[in-house]
Amino acid sequence: MRKTLLLAAVAAMALGAGPALAKKQLVIVVKGLDNPFFEAIHQGCEKWNSENASSEYECFYTGPASTSDEAGEAQIVQDMLSKADTVAMAISPSNAPLIAQTIKTANPTIPIMTLDADLSKEDAGLRKTYLGTDNYLMGKKIGEYIKKGKPNGGTICTIEGNPAADNILRRAQGMRDALSGKEGLAALAGEGGWTEVAGCPVFTNDDGAKGVQAMTDILAANPKLDAFGIMGGWPLFGAPQPYRDLFGPLKDRIASNDFVIGAADTIGDEVAIARDGLVTALVGQRPFEMGYKAPSVMIDLIEGKPVADPVFTGLDECTKDTVDTCIQK
Protein backbone atom coordinates (compact mmCIF):
# COMPACT_ATOMS: atom_id res chain seq x y z
CA MET A 1 0.00 0.00 0.00
CA ARG A 2 2.77 2.37 0.94
CA LYS A 3 4.59 1.50 -2.29
CA THR A 4 1.44 2.23 -4.30
CA LEU A 5 0.99 5.59 -2.59
CA LEU A 6 4.64 6.46 -3.17
CA LEU A 7 4.39 5.64 -6.86
CA ALA A 8 1.24 7.69 -7.14
CA ALA A 9 2.95 10.65 -5.45
CA VAL A 10 5.94 10.42 -7.79
CA ALA A 11 3.62 10.29 -10.79
CA ALA A 12 1.73 13.32 -9.56
CA MET A 13 4.95 15.22 -9.05
CA ALA A 14 6.07 14.32 -12.56
CA LEU A 15 2.79 15.47 -14.06
CA GLY A 16 2.91 18.64 -12.02
CA ALA A 17 6.45 19.34 -13.15
CA GLY A 18 5.57 19.03 -16.85
CA PRO A 19 4.37 22.60 -17.46
CA ALA A 20 7.17 24.03 -15.34
CA LEU A 21 9.72 22.35 -17.60
CA ALA A 22 8.32 24.00 -20.74
CA LYS A 23 10.72 26.58 -22.10
CA LYS A 24 9.84 30.24 -22.40
CA GLN A 25 9.48 31.18 -26.04
CA LEU A 26 11.57 33.89 -27.71
CA VAL A 27 9.51 34.19 -30.87
CA ILE A 28 10.86 35.33 -34.25
CA VAL A 29 8.15 36.10 -36.83
CA VAL A 30 9.41 36.60 -40.38
CA LYS A 31 7.68 37.77 -43.54
CA GLY A 32 7.55 34.30 -45.11
CA LEU A 33 9.00 30.81 -44.88
CA ASP A 34 9.52 30.59 -48.65
CA ASN A 35 12.48 32.96 -48.70
CA PRO A 36 16.06 31.65 -48.23
CA PHE A 37 17.02 34.93 -46.58
CA PHE A 38 14.67 34.13 -43.71
CA GLU A 39 15.83 30.52 -43.62
CA ALA A 40 19.28 31.91 -42.79
CA ILE A 41 17.67 33.75 -39.85
CA HIS A 42 16.11 30.42 -38.86
CA GLN A 43 19.51 28.74 -38.88
CA GLY A 44 20.90 31.47 -36.62
CA CYS A 45 17.99 30.92 -34.23
CA GLU A 46 18.66 27.18 -34.18
CA LYS A 47 22.37 27.69 -33.54
CA TRP A 48 21.46 29.78 -30.49
CA ASN A 49 19.22 26.94 -29.29
CA SER A 50 21.97 24.35 -29.73
CA GLU A 51 24.45 26.49 -27.80
CA ASN A 52 21.95 27.23 -25.02
CA ALA A 53 20.28 23.87 -24.58
CA SER A 54 20.10 24.27 -20.80
CA SER A 55 18.53 27.74 -20.95
CA GLU A 56 15.04 28.37 -19.66
CA TYR A 57 14.44 30.11 -22.99
CA GLU A 58 13.99 28.74 -26.50
CA CYS A 59 14.18 30.55 -29.82
CA PHE A 60 11.00 29.80 -31.81
CA TYR A 61 10.92 30.67 -35.52
CA THR A 62 7.69 31.11 -37.46
CA GLY A 63 5.97 33.06 -40.24
CA PRO A 64 3.43 32.64 -43.04
CA ALA A 65 4.12 30.20 -45.85
CA SER A 66 4.50 33.02 -48.38
CA THR A 67 6.21 36.40 -48.11
CA SER A 68 3.25 37.91 -49.97
CA ASP A 69 0.85 36.94 -47.15
CA GLU A 70 0.84 40.18 -45.17
CA ALA A 71 -2.41 39.37 -43.37
CA GLY A 72 -1.05 35.93 -42.49
CA GLU A 73 1.99 37.43 -40.81
CA ALA A 74 -0.21 39.83 -38.81
CA GLN A 75 -2.41 36.91 -37.72
CA ILE A 76 0.62 34.92 -36.57
CA VAL A 77 1.87 37.90 -34.56
CA GLN A 78 -1.55 38.19 -32.94
CA ASP A 79 -1.77 34.46 -32.22
CA MET A 80 1.73 34.20 -30.74
CA LEU A 81 1.17 37.24 -28.53
CA SER A 82 -1.85 35.48 -27.04
CA LYS A 83 0.22 32.49 -25.89
CA ALA A 84 1.29 32.44 -22.24
CA ASP A 85 4.72 31.00 -23.03
CA THR A 86 5.63 33.82 -25.46
CA VAL A 87 7.87 36.07 -23.37
CA ALA A 88 9.38 38.27 -26.11
CA MET A 89 8.98 38.72 -29.84
CA ALA A 90 11.12 39.85 -32.77
CA ILE A 91 9.16 40.73 -35.93
CA SER A 92 10.24 41.35 -39.53
CA PRO A 93 7.23 43.39 -40.73
CA SER A 94 6.17 42.80 -44.31
CA ASN A 95 3.57 45.54 -44.04
CA ALA A 96 4.85 47.94 -41.39
CA PRO A 97 1.55 49.83 -40.79
CA LEU A 98 -0.42 46.57 -40.53
CA ILE A 99 2.00 45.06 -38.00
CA ALA A 100 2.00 48.30 -36.04
CA GLN A 101 -1.79 48.19 -35.83
CA THR A 102 -1.66 44.54 -34.79
CA ILE A 103 0.70 45.40 -31.94
CA LYS A 104 -1.51 48.30 -30.86
CA THR A 105 -4.56 46.08 -30.81
CA ALA A 106 -2.82 43.31 -28.87
CA ASN A 107 -1.30 45.83 -26.43
CA PRO A 108 1.35 43.32 -25.27
CA THR A 109 3.14 43.54 -21.95
CA ILE A 110 6.15 41.58 -23.22
CA PRO A 111 9.10 43.19 -25.03
CA ILE A 112 8.66 43.62 -28.78
CA MET A 113 11.55 44.28 -31.14
CA THR A 114 11.90 44.38 -34.91
CA LEU A 115 14.29 42.26 -36.94
CA ASP A 116 15.52 42.77 -40.52
CA ALA A 117 12.74 45.31 -41.25
CA ASP A 118 11.58 48.06 -38.94
CA LEU A 119 8.34 49.85 -38.25
CA SER A 120 7.90 53.36 -39.59
CA LYS A 121 9.40 56.21 -37.60
CA GLU A 122 5.92 57.15 -36.42
CA ASP A 123 5.41 53.69 -34.90
CA ALA A 124 8.92 53.09 -33.59
CA GLY A 125 7.74 53.56 -30.02
CA LEU A 126 5.86 50.27 -30.24
CA ARG A 127 9.12 48.29 -30.20
CA LYS A 128 12.14 48.38 -27.92
CA THR A 129 14.83 48.16 -30.59
CA TYR A 130 15.59 47.21 -34.19
CA LEU A 131 18.16 44.51 -34.95
CA GLY A 132 19.39 44.17 -38.50
CA THR A 133 20.82 45.98 -41.47
CA ASP A 134 21.27 49.72 -41.74
CA ASN A 135 18.98 49.70 -44.74
CA TYR A 136 19.57 53.31 -45.72
CA LEU A 137 23.35 52.70 -45.77
CA MET A 138 22.81 49.52 -47.75
CA GLY A 139 20.85 51.37 -50.42
CA LYS A 140 23.40 54.16 -50.43
CA LYS A 141 26.20 51.68 -51.11
CA ILE A 142 24.22 50.15 -53.96
CA GLY A 143 23.81 53.64 -55.37
CA GLU A 144 27.52 54.35 -54.99
CA TYR A 145 28.41 51.25 -57.02
CA ILE A 146 25.96 52.26 -59.74
CA LYS A 147 27.32 55.81 -59.77
CA LYS A 148 30.91 54.55 -59.91
CA GLY A 149 30.03 52.45 -62.93
CA LYS A 150 28.31 55.30 -64.76
CA PRO A 151 29.54 58.58 -63.24
CA ASN A 152 27.75 60.69 -65.84
CA GLY A 153 24.37 59.20 -64.95
CA GLY A 154 21.72 57.75 -67.20
CA THR A 155 18.33 56.06 -66.97
CA ILE A 156 17.53 53.62 -64.20
CA CYS A 157 14.74 51.42 -62.91
CA THR A 158 14.39 50.47 -59.26
CA ILE A 159 13.09 47.00 -58.39
CA GLU A 160 11.48 46.95 -54.95
CA GLY A 161 9.51 44.41 -52.93
CA ASN A 162 6.50 45.27 -50.84
CA PRO A 163 5.41 48.92 -51.13
CA ALA A 164 4.79 49.04 -47.37
CA ALA A 165 8.07 47.37 -46.30
CA ASP A 166 10.03 50.01 -44.41
CA ASN A 167 13.42 48.37 -45.00
CA ILE A 168 13.00 48.35 -48.77
CA LEU A 169 11.80 51.95 -48.85
CA ARG A 170 14.85 53.04 -46.86
CA ARG A 171 17.18 51.24 -49.25
CA ALA A 172 15.57 52.89 -52.25
CA GLN A 173 15.93 56.28 -50.59
CA GLY A 174 19.58 55.65 -49.84
CA MET A 175 20.21 54.70 -53.46
CA ARG A 176 18.46 57.82 -54.78
CA ASP A 177 20.38 60.03 -52.36
CA ALA A 178 23.69 58.51 -53.48
CA LEU A 179 22.90 58.91 -57.17
CA SER A 180 21.49 62.43 -56.97
CA GLY A 181 23.71 63.95 -54.29
CA LYS A 182 20.52 65.21 -52.66
CA GLU A 183 18.43 63.84 -49.80
CA GLY A 184 14.81 62.82 -49.72
CA LEU A 185 13.86 62.79 -53.40
CA ALA A 186 10.88 60.52 -54.05
CA ALA A 187 11.97 59.96 -57.66
CA LEU A 188 14.90 60.92 -59.87
CA ALA A 189 14.19 63.28 -62.76
CA GLY A 190 17.64 64.31 -63.91
CA GLU A 191 19.22 65.01 -60.53
CA GLY A 192 22.86 63.95 -60.57
CA GLY A 193 22.30 62.96 -64.20
CA TRP A 194 19.91 60.15 -63.28
CA THR A 195 16.31 59.66 -64.40
CA GLU A 196 13.94 56.89 -63.36
CA VAL A 197 12.04 55.59 -66.38
CA ALA A 198 8.26 55.37 -66.61
CA GLY A 199 6.75 52.42 -64.80
CA CYS A 200 9.42 52.41 -62.11
CA PRO A 201 9.86 51.63 -59.33
CA VAL A 202 8.41 48.17 -59.79
CA PHE A 203 7.03 46.42 -56.71
CA THR A 204 7.35 42.63 -56.89
CA ASN A 205 6.18 41.51 -53.41
CA ASP A 206 9.50 39.68 -52.96
CA ASP A 207 8.67 37.34 -55.87
CA GLY A 208 11.81 36.44 -57.84
CA ALA A 209 10.09 35.34 -61.03
CA LYS A 210 7.91 38.44 -60.97
CA GLY A 211 11.04 40.55 -60.59
CA VAL A 212 12.72 39.00 -63.63
CA GLN A 213 9.55 39.42 -65.68
CA ALA A 214 9.32 43.05 -64.63
CA MET A 215 12.91 43.69 -65.70
CA THR A 216 12.25 41.92 -68.99
CA ASP A 217 9.29 44.22 -69.64
CA ILE A 218 11.22 47.35 -68.61
CA LEU A 219 14.12 46.47 -70.93
CA ALA A 220 11.71 45.86 -73.80
CA ALA A 221 10.12 49.26 -73.25
CA ASN A 222 13.48 50.99 -72.64
CA PRO A 223 16.17 49.33 -74.80
CA LYS A 224 18.63 52.12 -73.92
CA LEU A 225 18.20 51.70 -70.16
CA ASP A 226 21.49 52.20 -68.31
CA ALA A 227 20.95 50.58 -64.91
CA PHE A 228 18.86 48.56 -62.51
CA GLY A 229 18.88 49.11 -58.76
CA ILE A 230 17.50 45.94 -57.15
CA MET A 231 16.58 46.55 -53.52
CA GLY A 232 16.29 42.87 -52.60
CA GLY A 233 17.97 39.83 -54.09
CA TRP A 234 14.69 38.10 -54.99
CA PRO A 235 15.23 37.97 -58.80
CA LEU A 236 18.76 36.60 -58.34
CA PHE A 237 18.22 34.01 -55.60
CA GLY A 238 14.53 33.38 -56.29
CA ALA A 239 14.74 32.92 -60.06
CA PRO A 240 18.45 32.47 -60.85
CA GLN A 241 18.09 30.75 -64.21
CA PRO A 242 15.56 33.24 -65.65
CA TYR A 243 17.84 36.00 -64.36
CA ARG A 244 20.83 34.42 -66.14
CA ASP A 245 18.81 34.01 -69.31
CA LEU A 246 17.83 37.68 -69.24
CA PHE A 247 21.24 39.19 -68.52
CA GLY A 248 23.55 36.66 -70.17
CA PRO A 249 23.32 38.54 -73.50
CA LEU A 250 24.25 41.75 -71.63
CA LYS A 251 27.38 40.29 -70.01
CA ASP A 252 29.81 42.32 -72.12
CA ARG A 253 27.87 45.52 -71.46
CA ILE A 254 27.93 44.79 -67.71
CA ALA A 255 31.67 44.08 -67.83
CA SER A 256 32.36 47.44 -69.49
CA ASN A 257 29.94 49.35 -67.21
CA ASP A 258 27.87 50.27 -70.24
CA PHE A 259 25.06 48.65 -68.27
CA VAL A 260 25.13 48.58 -64.47
CA ILE A 261 23.22 46.43 -61.97
CA GLY A 262 23.46 47.03 -58.24
CA ALA A 263 21.60 44.50 -56.11
CA ALA A 264 20.95 43.69 -52.47
CA ASP A 265 21.89 40.48 -50.65
CA THR A 266 24.55 37.79 -51.10
CA ILE A 267 22.56 34.59 -50.60
CA GLY A 268 21.67 31.56 -52.67
CA ASP A 269 22.98 31.82 -56.23
CA GLU A 270 23.78 35.52 -55.97
CA VAL A 271 27.53 35.21 -55.40
CA ALA A 272 27.83 32.74 -58.29
CA ILE A 273 25.95 35.21 -60.49
CA ALA A 274 28.44 37.90 -59.45
CA ARG A 275 31.33 35.55 -60.25
CA ASP A 276 29.86 35.09 -63.72
CA GLY A 277 29.80 38.84 -64.26
CA LEU A 278 26.01 39.17 -64.48
CA VAL A 279 25.70 41.80 -61.75
CA THR A 280 27.96 44.80 -61.13
CA ALA A 281 27.89 44.67 -57.34
CA LEU A 282 26.07 43.00 -54.46
CA VAL A 283 25.62 44.59 -51.06
CA GLY A 284 24.74 41.78 -48.70
CA GLN A 285 23.16 41.54 -45.29
CA ARG A 286 23.95 39.07 -42.52
CA PRO A 287 20.69 37.24 -41.80
CA PHE A 288 22.32 34.35 -39.92
CA GLU A 289 23.81 36.88 -37.51
CA MET A 290 20.38 38.47 -37.05
CA GLY A 291 18.79 35.14 -36.09
CA TYR A 292 21.68 34.24 -33.80
CA LYS A 293 21.73 37.56 -31.95
CA ALA A 294 17.98 38.08 -31.61
CA PRO A 295 17.41 35.66 -28.67
CA SER A 296 20.15 37.29 -26.59
CA VAL A 297 18.76 40.76 -27.30
CA MET A 298 15.26 39.60 -26.33
CA ILE A 299 16.57 38.16 -23.06
CA ASP A 300 18.31 41.46 -22.28
CA LEU A 301 15.02 43.26 -22.88
CA ILE A 302 13.16 40.83 -20.62
CA GLU A 303 15.72 41.36 -17.87
CA GLY A 304 15.56 45.13 -18.23
CA LYS A 305 19.15 45.50 -19.35
CA PRO A 306 20.09 48.47 -21.54
CA VAL A 307 19.87 47.66 -25.25
CA ALA A 308 21.02 50.00 -28.00
CA ASP A 309 18.50 51.15 -30.60
CA PRO A 310 19.24 50.30 -33.33
CA VAL A 311 21.53 47.27 -33.20
CA PHE A 312 23.09 47.08 -36.65
CA THR A 313 24.57 43.98 -38.23
CA GLY A 314 27.18 44.52 -40.90
CA LEU A 315 27.27 44.49 -44.68
CA ASP A 316 29.21 42.39 -47.19
CA GLU A 317 30.12 43.91 -50.56
CA CYS A 318 30.80 41.66 -53.53
CA THR A 319 31.94 42.30 -57.07
CA LYS A 320 33.22 39.91 -59.73
CA ASP A 321 36.75 40.51 -58.49
CA THR A 322 36.06 39.93 -54.78
CA VAL A 323 33.58 37.02 -54.70
CA ASP A 324 36.02 34.64 -53.02
CA THR A 325 36.69 36.89 -50.05
CA CYS A 326 33.70 39.23 -49.76
CA ILE A 327 31.47 37.25 -47.37
CA GLN A 328 32.05 37.48 -43.64
CA LYS A 329 32.88 34.01 -42.30
Side-chain angles (χ1 to χ4, degrees):
M1 181 70 177
R2 289 178 63 190
K3 183 177 182 180
T4 301
L5 290 173
L6 178 61
L7 289 173
V10 170
M13 289 174 65
L15 289 171
L21 294 175
K23 288 181 177 271
K24 300 173 183 177
Q25 300 295 296
L26 306 170
V27 177
I28 295 178
V29 182
V30 298
K31 298 175 183 178
L33 304 182
D34 58 342
N35 187 323
F37 178 90
F38 295 119
E39 178 56 27
I41 290 179
H42 183 200
Q43 294 305 312
C45 168
E46 290 303 321
K47 182 182 180 184
W48 188 92
N49 281 336
S50 67
E51 292 181 356
N52 296 274
S54 62
S55 173
E56 64 180 311
Y57 298 103
E58 180 180 54
C59 182
F60 181 80
Y61 170 89
T62 186
S66 171
T67 51
S68 63
D69 189 2
E70 300 172 9
E73 184 187 28
Q75 185 62 55
I76 289 171
V77 168
Q78 180 177 316
D79 291 346
M80 296 306 296
L81 285 175
S82 70
K83 294 182 178 296
D85 57 356
T86 298
V87 293
M89 184 177 289
I91 310 168
S92 175
S94 179
N95 184 318
L98 177 60
I99 293 299
Q101 185 56 53
T102 302
I103 296 171
K104 290 175 186 176
T105 301
N107 193 26
T109 57
I110 64 169
I112 303 293
M113 61 179 284
T114 48
L115 178 77
D116 163 58
D118 204 358
L119 299 176
S120 67
K121 292 180 181 179
E122 294 76 13
D123 293 319
L126 295 171
R127 90 295 186 269
K128 299 294 186 181
T129 189
Y130 161 75
L131 168 65
T133 302
D134 183 338
N135 286 291
Y136 176 83
L137 177 62
M138 183 183 192
K140 193 168 185 180
K141 285 184 176 292
I142 291 172
E144 288 169 351
Y145 275 109
I146 295 172
K147 189 173 183 178
K148 180 180 179 182
K150 295 193 77 70
N152 295 323
T155 54
I156 187 170
C157 181
T158 307
I159 306 299
E160 302 187 33
N162 186 305
D166 180 80
N167 59 335
I168 302 302
L169 297 176
R170 292 192 191 199
R171 290 176 204 170
Q173 192 62 64
M175 186 196 73
R176 290 188 182 100
D177 291 0
L179 291 175
S180 67
K182 299 181 180 180
E183 294 186 357
L185 294 174
L188 301 179
E191 296 87 356
W194 288 96
T195 298
E196 294 182 67
V197 299
C200 297
V202 177
F203 294 96
T204 66
N205 287 320
D206 298 8
D207 185 315
K210 187 175 180 180
V212 174
Q213 185 59 56
M215 290 189 290
T216 302
D217 295 342
I218 290 296
L219 282 171
N222 302 272
K224 294 184 179 180
L225 187 76
D226 293 294
F228 276 115
I230 306 174
M231 298 299 103
W234 324 288
L236 291 82
F237 65 66
Q241 192 55 52
Y243 180 94
R244 290 175 182 276
D245 293 342
L246 177 60
F247 290 107
L250 301 179
K251 185 173 182 177
D252 289 342
R253 290 187 62 195
I254 295 170
S256 66
N257 285 325
D258 182 54
F259 191 82
V260 180
I261 306 173
D265 299 324
T266 51
I267 60 178
D269 286 338
E270 287 194 87
V271 174
I273 287 172
R275 180 178 285 108
D276 292 341
L278 298 179
V279 64
T280 306
L282 301 172
V283 180
Q285 307 175 79
R286 296 175 180 168
F288 182 90
E289 184 179 346
M290 296 178 201
Y292 181 66
K293 284 187 173 181
S296 297
V297 174
M298 284 190 271
I299 292 171
D300 284 346
L301 291 172
I302 291 168
E303 296 178 349
K305 295 180 180 177
V307 174
D309 180 22
V311 179
F312 285 139
T313 48
L315 295 168
D316 296 314
E317 301 176 38
C318 297
T319 66
K320 186 176 186 296
D321 297 328
T322 66
V323 291
D324 293 326
T325 58
C326 63
I327 305 297
Q328 181 199 51
K329 302 300 182 183

